Amino acid sequence: MIYTVTLNPAIDKTVYVDRFTIDAVNRATKVRQDPGGKGINVSKTIRALGGTSTAFAIVGGATGALIASSLDKLGISKQVFEGLGSTRTNTKIVDLALGTYTDVNEPGASVTQSLLDDALAILALQVSPGDIVVLSGSLPVGAPTNTYATWARACRKAGARVFLDADGEVLKAGLAAKPELVKPNEVELGRMLGRELDTTDKIVEAARELQDQGISQVMVSMGGEGAVYVTAAGAWRLRQPAVEVVSTVGAGDSVVAALAYALDAGMEPIDAARLAMATGAATVMRPGTEPARREDIDALLPQVDVEEL
């Protein structure tokens, strides 16, 4: 079983504007809303790949109720906890004419420590040895920086494999719990280590430093340039095929989703990474935070370039 955790979910409102102009009235050509937050995006992509997951999320108010009902409509198993206030709405401004993608993310409602403790206790009771728990996204107001570290330790104690996708101090604190896999981008990783990672060799070296801390797998995403994937078995440079970009929102989440789906199914790490690259490319072809289509993923899979380092 795969569990995804979204402590600060959102309704992702995508607004399409032709030639978006600052300090002017812009008229939308199209608007769509999707349940979002990084963990929920992971669950949506796992379902698109043909897998199953349970989405753990803290929700509140009308937007929280919309997220819960949307998950039901998508056929995604869920465990939701009622938080304080209303779940946030994140606005994505997409200008296909100029090729720009602007995010305006709200901070979200606050949480209490007792709510976090209750949710974690329920998750820890459900997970079994060999399960995968994906901890991803920003933390809500009121959650301490080491929240993911606490959750990772509890899930690891239950025998689960933990995947962590966070940044900044939250990622740094989470590493202390030794998750099995982390997925920073090269800027986040470089910022955390205090140096610029402007070559593949430097990225591999940085990933090896994380492995020395007890992290088994490191996927360093590089946006449109692909990724570097480092495991105990080796290191690889992966490049996804060029596609028409409709929305970049959720692309990184889809990479994590494909890794979780593939590794849960027992695929070899490099095959899981290849699937992740194809899934990421297929995701940017979809509007809003709509997940990739399996037929697009399968068509792109042979086009992923893999170089062993």
Side-chain angles (χ1 to χ4, degrees):
M1 174 59 74
I2 302 171
Y3 297 89
T4 66
V5 175
T6 313
L7 300 181
N8 198 20
I11 289 294
D12 285 332
K13 182 178 182 179
T14 306
V15 181
Y16 292 86
V17 178
D18 286 337
R19 303 197 175 280
F20 178 69
T21 305
I22 300 295
D23 200 24
V25 174
N26 293 270
R27 301 193 181 279
T29 59
K30 184 171 59 174
V31 178
R32 63 174 292 142
Q33 292 190 133
D34 301 283
K38 294 180 75 65
I40 287 174
N41 290 339
V42 170
S43 280
K44 290 192 297 185
T45 301
I46 288 172
R47 182 182 179 278
L49 285 163
T52 59
S53 68
T54 297
F56 270 66
I58 295 176
V59 301
T63 46
L66 178 57
I67 287 175
S69 64
S70 296
L71 291 174
D72 288 336
K73 290 177 182 177
L74 290 170
I76 296 173
S77 174
K78 71 181 190 304
Q79 180 82 57
V80 297
F81 302 87
E82 192 71 26
L84 304 173
S86 293
T87 298
R88 61 186 177 149
T89 297
N90 290 339
T91 303
K92 320 294 183 181
I93 304 171
V94 178
D95 187 334
L96 296 178
L98 298 178
T100 60
Y101 309 88
T102 305
D103 291 359
V104 181
N105 291 348
E106 297 179 6
S110 62
V111 297
T112 62
Q113 188 61 54
S114 61
L115 176 59
L116 292 172
D117 292 343
D118 290 345
L120 175 56
I122 291 174
L123 174 61
L125 285 173
Q126 292 189 25
V127 298
S128 301
D131 288 346
I132 292 176
V133 177
V134 179
L135 306 173
S136 58
S138 62
L139 294 177
V141 176
T145 302
N146 67 345
T147 294
Y148 282 149
T150 300
W151 284 58
R153 289 190 182 98
C155 292
R156 288 191 63 212
K157 185 177 180 180
R161 296 174 284 168
V162 176
F163 291 10
L164 176 62
D165 184 11
D167 61 13
E169 292 301 313
V170 176
L171 171 62
K172 189 174 182 179
L175 293 178
K178 296 179 174 54
E180 179 171 313
L181 182 147
V182 295
K183 191 204 72 64
N185 63 42
E186 81 277 22
V187 176
E188 294 164 350
L189 182 56
R191 187 185 300 124
M192 186 179 68
L193 296 176
R195 61 182 186 268
E196 186 177 5
L197 305 179
D198 54 0
T199 68
T200 298
D201 287 344
K202 290 180 182 180
I203 292 173
V204 172
E205 181 183 359
R208 294 293 189 201
E209 289 183 30
L210 296 190
Q211 286 190 312
D212 291 341
Q213 298 178 36
I215 315 299
S216 300
Q217 302 181 54
V218 182
M219 171 72 86
V220 183
S221 59
M222 303 164 64
E225 298 300 315
V228 170
Y229 185 46
V230 179
T231 74
W236 298 268
R237 176 75 164 85
L238 300 113
R239 296 175 177 83
Q240 69 266 52
V243 297
E244 181 181 0
V245 177
V246 176
S247 173
T248 59
V249 180
D253 305 328
S254 70
V255 169
V256 176
L259 287 170
Y261 165 81
L263 295 173
D264 183 61
M267 292 175 62
E268 291 296 322
I270 186 55
D271 294 325
R274 186 180 284 108
L275 178 67
M277 288 295 97
T279 304
T283 298
V284 302
M285 298 166 59
R286 307 302 301 158
T289 56
E290 185 177 318
R293 296 182 300 192
R294 184 66 202 234
E295 56 266 34
D296 291 334
I297 297 169
D298 291 340
L300 293 171
L301 191 57
Q303 302 176 45
V304 175
D305 180 69
V306 179
E307 176 190 358
E308 187 169 5
L309 301 174

